[in-house]
């Protein structure tokens, strides 16, 4: 592998938090395909890909470089995440256990073919659904079943 994927914040962040995706170590104007994939809690595969061209310095920053095609086109810095589609038709993207993150695998492939390109770089980014310190409290009242999420530092549960 010759390219380095740069993710900010690195390693892990909340699902709704923006992540900066960049690739360093490419040849000037090199055509590449970025591919994102994840498996849901039932093992179903979700994928997205987009074709890009590195700049004159061999850098690809998704905040500045438009996708040239694939699952989406245009300037979409978070496109690889919002464009994830199921491998099985009509499968829904659903998170049942918010206490565990999804691991999104990102790959950089040489050229503009998402299946046959040589792998240049890979990274895994975990996407959380529950911030550290948030408490989950089950709610049961008659036939009502729910979960109350309390922010960190809220000792009494606040008022509802």
């Amino acid at each position: 592998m010759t390219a380095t994927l740069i993710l900010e914040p690195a390693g892990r962040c909340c699902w709704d938090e923006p992540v900066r995706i960049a690739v360093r170590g490419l040849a000037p104007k090199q055509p590449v395909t970025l591919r994102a994939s994840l498996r849901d809690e039932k093992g179903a595969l979700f994928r997205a890909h987009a074709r890009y061209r590195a700049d004159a310095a061999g850098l690809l920053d998704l905040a500045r470089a438009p996708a040239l095609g694939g699952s989406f086109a245009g300037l979409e810095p978070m496109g690889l995440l919002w464009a994830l589609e199921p491998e099985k038709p009509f499968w829904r993207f659903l998170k049942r256990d918010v206490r565990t993150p999804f691991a999104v695998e990102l790959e950089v492939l040489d050229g503009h073919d998402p299946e046959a390109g040589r792998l240049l770089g890979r990274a895994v980014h975990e996407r959380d659904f529950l911030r550290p310190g948030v408490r989950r409290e089950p709610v049961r009242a008659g036939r009502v079943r729910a979960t109350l999420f309390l922010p960190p530092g809220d000792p009494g549960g606040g008022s509802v």
Side-chain angles (χ1 to χ4, degrees):
M1 290 191 261
T2 59
T4 303
L5 266 156
I6 303 160
L7 306 171
E8 293 176 5
R12 190 177 204 158
C13 68
C14 272
W15 184 264
D16 61 349
E17 198 175 325
V19 63
R20 179 179 170 258
I21 302 171
V23 183
R24 185 176 50 220
L26 299 169
K29 304 290 184 184
Q30 181 176 356
V32 293
T33 298
L34 267 64
R35 186 167 60 189
S37 62
L38 70 77
R39 290 197 179 272
D40 72 5
E41 293 157 325
K42 291 189 174 187
L45 181 63
F46 290 77
R47 284 184 160 177
H49 73 278
R51 295 182 290 275
Y52 294 94
R53 187 169 303 278
D55 67 13
L59 177 68
L60 173 62
D61 184 347
L62 272 56
R64 294 183 295 160
L68 305 174
S71 301
F72 58 93
L75 189 60
E76 297 286 348
M78 296 288 292
L80 288 169
L81 295 176
W82 65 250
L84 287 165
E85 291 185 341
E87 192 174 57
K88 298 177 188 176
F90 309 112
W91 195 263
R92 294 181 68 198
F93 186 73
L94 185 63
K95 183 68 172 147
R96 295 191 185 280
D97 184 0
V98 296
R99 296 172 293 184
T100 60
F102 273 136
V104 179
E105 182 177 33
L106 296 160
E107 297 174 316
V108 183
L109 303 166
D110 189 24
H112 282 163
D113 186 349
E115 298 304 323
R118 180 174 60 96
L119 183 65
L120 302 174
R122 174 184 286 147
V124 175
H125 197 261
E126 290 188 342
R127 307 288 287 173
D128 278 321
F129 288 80
L130 199 60
R131 291 206 180 270
V134 172
R135 290 192 346 258
R136 299 175 77 239
E137 297 290 334
V139 176
R140 307 233 187 282
R143 293 176 19 185
V144 174
R145 302 288 182 262
T147 303
L148 176 64
F149 294 89
L150 298 171
D154 190 359
S159 59
V160 180

PDB file of all heavy atoms in Angstrom, residues 88-105:
ATOM      1  N   LYS A  88     -28.003  -6.323  -0.458  1.00  0.00           N
ATOM      2  CA  LYS A  88     -29.285  -6.995  -0.701  1.00  0.00           C
ATOM      3  C   LYS A  88     -30.347  -5.936  -0.983  1.00  0.00           C
ATOM      4  O   LYS A  88     -30.475  -4.976  -0.234  1.00  0.00           O
ATOM      5  CB  LYS A  88     -29.736  -7.772   0.541  1.00  0.00           C
ATOM      6  CG  LYS A  88     -28.812  -8.875   0.960  1.00  0.00           C
ATOM      7  CD  LYS A  88     -29.348  -9.505   2.241  1.00  0.00           C
ATOM      8  CE  LYS A  88     -28.385 -10.498   2.835  1.00  0.00           C
ATOM      9  NZ  LYS A  88     -28.871 -11.020   4.120  1.00  0.00           N
ATOM     10  N   PRO A  89     -31.120  -6.103  -2.045  1.00  0.00           N
ATOM     11  CA  PRO A  89     -32.160  -5.118  -2.350  1.00  0.00           C
ATOM     12  C   PRO A  89     -33.170  -4.987  -1.192  1.00  0.00           C
ATOM     13  O   PRO A  89     -33.505  -5.977  -0.540  1.00  0.00           O
ATOM     14  CB  PRO A  89     -32.839  -5.684  -3.596  1.00  0.00           C
ATOM     15  CG  PRO A  89     -31.884  -6.676  -4.161  1.00  0.00           C
ATOM     16  CD  PRO A  89     -31.054  -7.177  -3.021  1.00  0.00           C
ATOM     17  N   PHE A  90     -33.610  -3.783  -0.968  1.00  0.00           N
ATOM     18  CA  PHE A  90     -34.659  -3.447   0.004  1.00  0.00           C
ATOM     19  C   PHE A  90     -34.254  -3.661   1.459  1.00  0.00           C
ATOM     20  O   PHE A  90     -35.096  -3.631   2.342  1.00  0.00           O
ATOM     21  CB  PHE A  90     -35.965  -4.208  -0.304  1.00  0.00           C
ATOM     22  CG  PHE A  90     -36.400  -4.068  -1.721  1.00  0.00           C
ATOM     23  CD1 PHE A  90     -36.378  -5.141  -2.589  1.00  0.00           C
ATOM     24  CD2 PHE A  90     -36.795  -2.830  -2.216  1.00  0.00           C
ATOM     25  CE1 PHE A  90     -36.754  -5.010  -3.910  1.00  0.00           C
ATOM     26  CE2 PHE A  90     -37.177  -2.673  -3.529  1.00  0.00           C
ATOM     27  CZ  PHE A  90     -37.160  -3.761  -4.378  1.00  0.00           C
ATOM     28  N   TRP A  91     -32.968  -3.909   1.748  1.00  0.00           N
ATOM     29  CA  TRP A  91     -32.512  -4.052   3.126  1.00  0.00           C
ATOM     30  C   TRP A  91     -32.398  -2.656   3.726  1.00  0.00           C
ATOM     31  O   TRP A  91     -31.902  -1.736   3.092  1.00  0.00           O
ATOM     32  CB  TRP A  91     -31.156  -4.766   3.156  1.00  0.00           C
ATOM     33  CG  TRP A  91     -30.790  -5.277   4.508  1.00  0.00           C
ATOM     34  CD1 TRP A  91     -29.984  -4.670   5.420  1.00  0.00           C
ATOM     35  CD2 TRP A  91     -31.206  -6.497   5.116  1.00  0.00           C
ATOM     36  NE1 TRP A  91     -29.867  -5.437   6.536  1.00  0.00           N
ATOM     37  CE2 TRP A  91     -30.617  -6.566   6.386  1.00  0.00           C
ATOM     38  CE3 TRP A  91     -32.029  -7.539   4.708  1.00  0.00           C
ATOM     39  CZ2 TRP A  91     -30.815  -7.635   7.248  1.00  0.00           C
ATOM     40  CZ3 TRP A  91     -32.218  -8.595   5.562  1.00  0.00           C
ATOM     41  CH2 TRP A  91     -31.628  -8.650   6.816  1.00  0.00           C
ATOM     42  N   ARG A  92     -32.862  -2.493   4.965  1.00  0.00           N
ATOM     43  CA  ARG A  92     -32.838  -1.177   5.605  1.00  0.00           C
ATOM     44  C   ARG A  92     -31.631  -1.039   6.510  1.00  0.00           C
ATOM     45  O   ARG A  92     -31.270  -1.960   7.224  1.00  0.00           O
ATOM     46  CB  ARG A  92     -34.117  -0.972   6.409  1.00  0.00           C
ATOM     47  CG  ARG A  92     -35.334  -0.904   5.504  1.00  0.00           C
ATOM     48  CD  ARG A  92     -36.581  -0.672   6.277  1.00  0.00           C
ATOM     49  NE  ARG A  92     -36.544   0.667   6.835  1.00  0.00           N
ATOM     50  CZ  ARG A  92     -37.307   1.065   7.833  1.00  0.00           C
ATOM     51  NH1 ARG A  92     -38.158   0.240   8.386  1.00  0.00           N
ATOM     52  NH2 ARG A  92     -37.224   2.283   8.287  1.00  0.00           N
ATOM     53  N   PHE A  93     -31.052   0.152   6.505  1.00  0.00           N
ATOM     54  CA  PHE A  93     -29.938   0.475   7.391  1.00  0.00           C
ATOM     55  C   PHE A  93     -30.537   0.837   8.745  1.00  0.00           C
ATOM     56  O   PHE A  93     -31.242   1.830   8.877  1.00  0.00           O
ATOM     57  CB  PHE A  93     -29.153   1.648   6.801  1.00  0.00           C
ATOM     58  CG  PHE A  93     -27.910   1.981   7.555  1.00  0.00           C
ATOM     59  CD1 PHE A  93     -26.813   1.155   7.482  1.00  0.00           C
ATOM     60  CD2 PHE A  93     -27.833   3.118   8.325  1.00  0.00           C
ATOM     61  CE1 PHE A  93     -25.645   1.465   8.151  1.00  0.00           C
ATOM     62  CE2 PHE A  93     -26.684   3.436   9.003  1.00  0.00           C
ATOM     63  CZ  PHE A  93     -25.582   2.609   8.919  1.00  0.00           C
ATOM     64  N   LEU A  94     -30.288  -0.007   9.737  1.00  0.00           N
ATOM     65  CA  LEU A  94     -30.937   0.160  11.028  1.00  0.00           C
ATOM     66  C   LEU A  94     -29.949  -0.143  12.135  1.00  0.00           C
ATOM     67  O   LEU A  94     -29.217  -1.128  12.062  1.00  0.00           O
ATOM     68  CB  LEU A  94     -32.131  -0.804  11.111  1.00  0.00           C
ATOM     69  CG  LEU A  94     -33.018  -0.720  12.333  1.00  0.00           C
ATOM     70  CD1 LEU A  94     -33.705   0.626  12.428  1.00  0.00           C
ATOM     71  CD2 LEU A  94     -34.062  -1.828  12.267  1.00  0.00           C
ATOM     72  N   LYS A  95     -29.917   0.689  13.151  1.00  0.00           N
ATOM     73  CA  LYS A  95     -29.048   0.475  14.307  1.00  0.00           C
ATOM     74  C   LYS A  95     -29.924   0.107  15.490  1.00  0.00           C
ATOM     75  O   LYS A  95     -30.746   0.883  15.933  1.00  0.00           O
ATOM     76  CB  LYS A  95     -28.245   1.751  14.604  1.00  0.00           C
ATOM     77  CG  LYS A  95     -27.268   1.608  15.732  1.00  0.00           C
ATOM     78  CD  LYS A  95     -26.158   0.680  15.349  1.00  0.00           C
ATOM     79  CE  LYS A  95     -25.070   0.659  16.390  1.00  0.00           C
ATOM     80  NZ  LYS A  95     -24.431  -0.630  16.497  1.00  0.00           N
ATOM     81  N   ARG A  96     -29.753  -1.114  15.997  1.00  0.00           N
ATOM     82  CA  ARG A  96     -30.579  -1.583  17.111  1.00  0.00           C
ATOM     83  C   ARG A  96     -29.922  -1.340  18.467  1.00  0.00           C
ATOM     84  O   ARG A  96     -30.587  -0.980  19.409  1.00  0.00           O
ATOM     85  CB  ARG A  96     -30.887  -3.062  16.941  1.00  0.00           C
ATOM     86  CG  ARG A  96     -31.737  -3.331  15.713  1.00  0.00           C
ATOM     87  CD  ARG A  96     -32.252  -4.758  15.691  1.00  0.00           C
ATOM     88  NE  ARG A  96     -32.957  -5.050  14.460  1.00  0.00           N
ATOM     89  CZ  ARG A  96     -34.210  -4.703  14.224  1.00  0.00           C
ATOM     90  NH1 ARG A  96     -34.890  -4.031  15.109  1.00  0.00           N
ATOM     91  NH2 ARG A  96     -34.781  -5.004  13.078  1.00  0.00           N
ATOM     92  N   ASP A  97     -28.621  -1.564  18.567  1.00  0.00           N
ATOM     93  CA  ASP A  97     -27.916  -1.387  19.833  1.00  0.00           C
ATOM     94  C   ASP A  97     -27.015  -0.167  19.731  1.00  0.00           C
ATOM     95  O   ASP A  97     -25.913  -0.245  19.187  1.00  0.00           O
ATOM     96  CB  ASP A  97     -27.094  -2.638  20.167  1.00  0.00           C
ATOM     97  CG  ASP A  97     -26.412  -2.543  21.518  1.00  0.00           C
ATOM     98  OD1 ASP A  97     -26.565  -1.519  22.216  1.00  0.00           O
ATOM     99  OD2 ASP A  97     -25.711  -3.510  21.889  1.00  0.00           O
ATOM    100  N   VAL A  98     -27.469   0.954  20.265  1.00  0.00           N
ATOM    101  CA  VAL A  98     -26.723   2.203  20.140  1.00  0.00           C
ATOM    102  C   VAL A  98     -25.471   2.241  21.014  1.00  0.00           C
ATOM    103  O   VAL A  98     -24.686   3.177  20.936  1.00  0.00           O
ATOM    104  CB  VAL A  98     -27.611   3.434  20.455  1.00  0.00           C
ATOM    105  CG1 VAL A  98     -28.731   3.561  19.443  1.00  0.00           C
ATOM    106  CG2 VAL A  98     -28.139   3.392  21.877  1.00  0.00           C
ATOM    107  N   ARG A  99     -25.269   1.222  21.842  1.00  0.00           N
ATOM    108  CA  ARG A  99     -24.084   1.184  22.707  1.00  0.00           C
ATOM    109  C   ARG A  99     -22.835   0.720  21.963  1.00  0.00           C
ATOM    110  O   ARG A  99     -21.730   0.889  22.463  1.00  0.00           O
ATOM    111  CB  ARG A  99     -24.330   0.280  23.912  1.00  0.00           C
ATOM    112  CG  ARG A  99     -25.458   0.824  24.814  1.00  0.00           C
ATOM    113  CD  ARG A  99     -25.823  -0.165  25.865  1.00  0.00           C
ATOM    114  NE  ARG A  99     -26.435  -1.324  25.192  1.00  0.00           N
ATOM    115  CZ  ARG A  99     -26.935  -2.357  25.828  1.00  0.00           C
ATOM    116  NH1 ARG A  99     -26.901  -2.424  27.137  1.00  0.00           N
ATOM    117  NH2 ARG A  99     -27.479  -3.354  25.152  1.00  0.00           N
ATOM    118  N   THR A 100     -22.992   0.135  20.777  1.00  0.00           N
ATOM    119  CA  THR A 100     -21.843  -0.331  20.003  1.00  0.00           C
ATOM    120  C   THR A 100     -21.722   0.487  18.719  1.00  0.00           C
ATOM    121  O   THR A 100     -22.725   0.838  18.112  1.00  0.00           O
ATOM    122  CB  THR A 100     -21.993  -1.825  19.635  1.00  0.00           C
ATOM    123  OG1 THR A 100     -23.175  -1.991  18.854  1.00  0.00           O
ATOM    124  CG2 THR A 100     -22.077  -2.695  20.883  1.00  0.00           C
ATOM    125  N   PRO A 101     -20.490   0.784  18.303  1.00  0.00           N
ATOM    126  CA  PRO A 101     -20.313   1.586  17.081  1.00  0.00           C
ATOM    127  C   PRO A 101     -20.386   0.729  15.825  1.00  0.00           C
ATOM    128  O   PRO A 101     -20.294  -0.497  15.878  1.00  0.00           O
ATOM    129  CB  PRO A 101     -18.900   2.147  17.251  1.00  0.00           C
ATOM    130  CG  PRO A 101     -18.185   1.089  18.026  1.00  0.00           C
ATOM    131  CD  PRO A 101     -19.218   0.501  18.974  1.00  0.00           C
ATOM    132  N   PHE A 102     -20.559   1.392  14.697  1.00  0.00           N
ATOM    133  CA  PHE A 102     -20.371   0.760  13.403  1.00  0.00           C
ATOM    134  C   PHE A 102     -18.915   1.005  12.997  1.00  0.00           C
ATOM    135  O   PHE A 102     -18.397   2.103  13.191  1.00  0.00           O
ATOM    136  CB  PHE A 102     -21.265   1.380  12.328  1.00  0.00           C
ATOM    137  CG  PHE A 102     -22.635   0.777  12.225  1.00  0.00           C
ATOM    138  CD1 PHE A 102     -23.750   1.592  12.093  1.00  0.00           C
ATOM    139  CD2 PHE A 102     -22.824  -0.592  12.230  1.00  0.00           C
ATOM    140  CE1 PHE A 102     -25.013   1.051  11.984  1.00  0.00           C
ATOM    141  CE2 PHE A 102     -24.084  -1.143  12.114  1.00  0.00           C
ATOM    142  CZ  PHE A 102     -25.186  -0.318  11.998  1.00  0.00           C
ATOM    143  N   ALA A 103     -18.279   0.010  12.424  1.00  0.00           N
ATOM    144  CA  ALA A 103     -16.920   0.162  11.900  1.00  0.00           C
ATOM    145  C   ALA A 103     -17.025   0.338  10.385  1.00  0.00           C
ATOM    146  O   ALA A 103     -17.444  -0.567   9.673  1.00  0.00           O
ATOM    147  CB  ALA A 103     -16.073  -1.052  12.242  1.00  0.00           C
ATOM    148  N   VAL A 104     -16.658   1.515   9.918  1.00  0.00           N
ATOM    149  CA  VAL A 104     -16.688   1.821   8.487  1.00  0.00           C
ATOM    150  C   VAL A 104     -15.286   1.601   7.931  1.00  0.00           C
ATOM    151  O   VAL A 104     -14.324   2.198   8.414  1.00  0.00           O
ATOM    152  CB  VAL A 104     -17.134   3.273   8.228  1.00  0.00           C
ATOM    153  CG1 VAL A 104     -17.145   3.578   6.732  1.00  0.00           C
ATOM    154  CG2 VAL A 104     -18.489   3.543   8.844  1.00  0.00           C
ATOM    155  N   GLU A 105     -15.179   0.721   6.944  1.00  0.00           N
ATOM    156  CA  GLU A 105     -13.887   0.483   6.301  1.00  0.00           C
ATOM    157  C   GLU A 105     -13.798   1.357   5.056  1.00  0.00           C
ATOM    158  O   GLU A 105     -14.707   1.366   4.229  1.00  0.00           O
ATOM    159  CB  GLU A 105     -13.737  -0.989   5.910  1.00  0.00           C
ATOM    160  CG  GLU A 105     -12.387  -1.286   5.294  1.00  0.00           C
ATOM    161  CD  GLU A 105     -12.199  -2.749   4.965  1.00  0.00           C
ATOM    162  OE1 GLU A 105     -13.191  -3.418   4.616  1.00  0.00           O
ATOM    163  OE2 GLU A 105     -11.051  -3.209   5.033  1.00  0.00           O
TER     164      GLU A 105
END
